[in-house]
Amino acid sequence: MARIALLSVSDKTGLIDFACTLVEEFNFDIISSGGTAQTLKSAGIPVTKVAEYTGSPEILGGRVKTLHPRVHGGILARRDVPQDLTDLENNQISPIDLVVVNLYPFEQTIAKPDVTLAEAIEQIDIGGPALLRASAKNHAHVTVLCAPSSYDAYLQQLRQNQGKVALEFRQQCAQKAFLHTAQYDSAIANYLATDALPEKFTLTGQQLQPLRYGENPHQPAAWYQTGNTATGWAAATKLQGKELSYNNIVDLEAAQRIVSEFTDAPAAVIIKHTNPCGVAQGDSVVEAYQKAFNADSTSAFGGIVALNRPIDAATATALTQTFLECVVAPDCETAAKEILAAKSKVRVLLLPDASSNKIQHTVKVISGGFLVQAADNYVANPSQWQIVTERQPSTAEMAELLFAWNVCKHVKSNAIVVTKNLTTAGVGAGQMNRVGSVKIALEQAGESAKGGFLASDGFFPFDDSVKAAAAAGISAIAQPGGSLRDADSIKAANELGLIMVFTGIRHFLH
């Protein structure tokens, strides 16, 4: 007696060859529905349509096809329970041994910028998840395959085990099926959510690749992609270089977030351990990179570089003058590719239109759960800033303050950034007190602090940092304001001839 396989797939990759092998080599009868049945029939593969098998037509424009006792009874029947077998016989139901299902492309549909709610709703699969869950539940007797990548492994099982499939394999396939439906339902729930932080927050991912290790060699790690549609770093093109490490990816994300702040002019960012050691804007991308590199050439060694313009030959030449771990840019000219190839171990990635891939939430795992917050995608608007000192900034000075503020947003708190000529001169990051961060940033800036600009991610609780900045030669300060002692800081700034603006928002980064 021939075994029955039910095939109903949205992704038809490898379908014809797989179905042909099932029929010709392993004597399966195939039942199928909709487009899958038509594809198999067109290829000359014998197939029985689900409607013919059940005696019930597809209805509601295809919304109801496989939801029938002859289908689900054949899947869910336990072959070692006499009553189940009796029920099959009494209702003329044949057992189904193999279920091959993948779901309507909901995530691909909602990824389209102009998709409507009605279009998205029609891509919510109902029969498919029911088939997957039923066959996964009964994996003691049924094999379920939810991805074309599993076809060869299943055929290998049949060939190695005289046409049978090991229970361990069936269990592995069942687990994949439940993960598949969990991710699918999560995508739908998140799409339909009207609250940015709903009562239940789900996060699922498909392993993109294992990583050599995590932050340290003793920590196993892997890279997961959220959703079935490659976005963000999963959609990046790697031109050359070694495999990305955990730390590489974390630093690339930090670098890209900073460089995405700057769109009006060429900009370059150099990152070490998620903090910027050099950020600059210039008239050309090579000028921006050279300014960023010169800002802290010692820390730039082994750094991560992000550019907001395509890599040209001049920039490629500059990039090859020092050891770098990774470079990311929107594109790379042909001549630049040839130059970079001389440093074959440097990881070079292309990430077009990175601004469209901004994250919406950040998640931090804690013992017994996790914390979720809206991502800090706040865009600064200097027209809304409060100028609190007697001395007023010029247009150029306000532009420099905005540059310093946008960099400071991405530095670990307590954060202080000193800039000059749209280039970082000193960065004080992650200190336990703000005074310490001010001291580090000013010492690093040195002579560049004279006539420079300072940004602080949080307010100054005392006037000591204002006085230290003035003593080093700083001409203007951007800070959130909001301290009970704001008046002291403003008074000190006025007495010392500084410009001070209150941005009205802070950017702590932990």
Side-chain angles (χ1 to χ4, degrees):
M1 176 180 172
R3 289 175 289 182
I4 295 177
L6 188 155
L7 278 59
S8 180
V9 296
S10 174
D11 181 356
K12 295 177 175 58
T13 304
L15 174 67
I16 300 300
D17 289 342
F18 181 63
C20 187
T21 303
L22 290 177
V23 172
E24 295 181 358
E25 188 174 343
F26 297 105
N27 195 34
F28 272 89
D29 286 340
I30 295 178
I31 59 176
S32 190
S33 63
T36 306
Q38 185 59 48
T39 298
L40 296 175
K41 184 177 180 181
S42 298
I45 298 173
V47 58
T48 300
K49 291 186 177 180
V50 168
E52 298 171 2
Y53 179 74
T54 62
S56 298
E58 294 185 9
I59 61 173
L60 307 181
R63 281 190 166 196
V64 178
K65 292 184 287 234
T66 58
L67 298 171
H68 193 280
R70 287 206 75 194
V71 173
H72 285 273
I75 294 172
L76 285 165
R78 294 158 291 188
R79 317 300 162 79
D80 55 357
V81 176
Q83 184 59 54
D84 285 10
L85 299 179
T86 299
D87 287 343
L88 292 183
E89 183 177 356
N90 290 342
N91 291 279
Q92 298 181 317
I93 298 174
S94 299
I96 296 173
D97 294 292
L98 172 65
V99 174
V100 182
V101 172
N102 51 62
L103 308 175
Y104 293 168
F106 179 82
E107 288 171 297
Q108 292 90 326
T109 299
I110 63 174
K112 299 175 182 177
D114 56 348
V115 66
T116 65
L117 176 61
E119 290 171 333
I121 292 295
E122 287 309 309
Q123 291 301 315
I124 297 177
D125 202 328
I126 301 301
L131 291 171
L132 288 174
R133 291 177 60 83
S135 47
K137 175 177 179 175
N138 202 30
H139 68 269
H141 308 284
V142 179
T143 304
V144 56
L145 305 178
C146 59
S149 57
S150 298
Y151 295 169
D152 287 344
Y154 175 75
L155 295 176
Q156 187 176 8
Q157 282 282 314
L158 294 179
R159 292 178 180 130
Q160 291 179 345
N161 300 301
Q162 291 76 49
K164 297 180 180 180
V165 178
L167 175 60
E168 181 182 8
F169 180 82
R170 296 198 301 272
Q171 184 170 331
Q172 291 171 353
C173 291
Q175 190 249 2
K176 290 180 181 179
F178 282 122
L179 286 174
H180 191 46
T181 58
Q183 179 173 326
Y184 194 77
D185 287 341
S186 174
I188 296 168
N190 290 337
Y191 176 75
L192 295 176
T194 56
D195 189 344
L197 296 173
E199 182 181 353
K200 292 188 177 181
F201 189 95
T202 59
L203 181 66
T204 62
Q206 174 74 33
Q207 188 177 121
L208 199 60
Q209 67 183 71
L211 301 172
R212 287 180 62 195
Y213 50 79
E215 287 179 300
N216 299 289
H218 64 275
Q219 295 172 267
W223 178 3
Y224 288 85
Q225 169 189 318
T226 53
N228 289 325
T229 303
T231 59
W233 295 107
T237 300
K238 186 158 80 86
L239 292 183
Q240 65 173 57
K242 300 183 292 184
E243 287 296 324
L244 291 169
S245 71
Y246 179 98
N247 289 335
N248 289 158
I249 297 168
V250 171
D251 283 338
L252 280 166
E253 175 69 10
Q256 191 62 47
R257 287 189 196 180
I258 301 178
V259 85
S260 294
E261 296 281 356
F262 309 106
T263 57
D264 295 338
V269 175
I270 306 176
I271 286 285
K272 285 293 283 292
H273 308 301
T274 72
N275 280 309
C277 53
V279 181
Q281 287 183 279
D283 293 330
S284 65
V285 68
V286 66
E287 180 189 4
Y289 170 71
Q290 203 64 64
K291 288 170 66 178
F293 178 81
N294 291 338
D296 186 353
S297 57
T298 300
S299 298
F301 183 84
I304 307 290
V305 175
L307 308 170
N308 70 347
R309 297 289 190 273
I311 306 170
D312 56 22
T315 308
T317 299
L319 291 167
T320 59
Q321 300 307 301
T322 191
F323 168 64
L324 299 171
E325 287 281 354
C326 305
V327 178
V328 61
D331 206 346
C332 186
E333 296 177 2
T334 300
K337 292 178 184 178
E338 295 173 358
I339 295 168
L340 291 168
K343 295 279 189 175
S344 60
K345 293 183 179 180
V346 178
R347 305 158 178 90
V348 179
L349 294 93
L350 304 184
L351 189 65
D353 195 23
S355 60
S356 66
N357 291 319
K358 283 189 175 181
I359 61 173
Q360 299 303 311
H361 298 93
T362 63
V363 180
K364 186 179 290 291
V365 176
I366 60 172
S367 179
F370 55 91
L371 306 175
V372 180
Q373 66 174 347
D376 189 359
N377 293 328
Y378 183 87
V379 178
N381 184 356
S383 66
Q384 297 176 352
W385 291 358
Q386 182 183 5
I387 303 168
V388 296
T389 50
E390 297 167 0
R391 183 180 163 197
Q392 301 288 298
S394 66
T395 300
E397 288 171 325
M398 189 63 89
E400 188 81 44
L401 284 169
L402 176 61
F403 175 81
W405 182 250
N406 282 334
V407 175
C408 193
K409 170 183 175 181
H410 299 276
V411 177
K412 291 284 187 178
S413 192
N414 288 306
I416 298 292
V417 171
V418 174
T419 70
K420 192 173 185 179
N421 299 324
L422 300 178
T423 306
T424 52
V427 178
Q431 297 305 299
M432 286 65 73
N433 64 76
R434 197 157 299 278
V435 174
S437 288
V438 170
K439 181 180 180 181
I440 290 171
L442 292 174
E443 287 181 351
Q444 188 181 59
E447 289 297 309
S448 295
K450 295 179 179 179
F453 298 74
L454 183 148
S456 171
D457 68 336
F459 61 64
F460 292 124
F462 303 100
D463 63 5
D464 49 2
S465 291
V466 176
K467 292 177 178 178
I474 292 295
S475 65
I477 294 174
Q479 61 137 316
S483 169
L484 294 175
R485 294 176 176 269
D486 276 345
D488 292 346
S489 293
I490 295 170
K491 180 174 180 292
N494 282 326
E495 290 175 349
L496 296 166
L498 298 181
I499 298 166
M500 182 180 289
V501 300
F502 284 0
T503 64
I505 188 169
R506 76 177 195 194
H507 286 299
F508 283 179
L509 179 62
H510 287 83

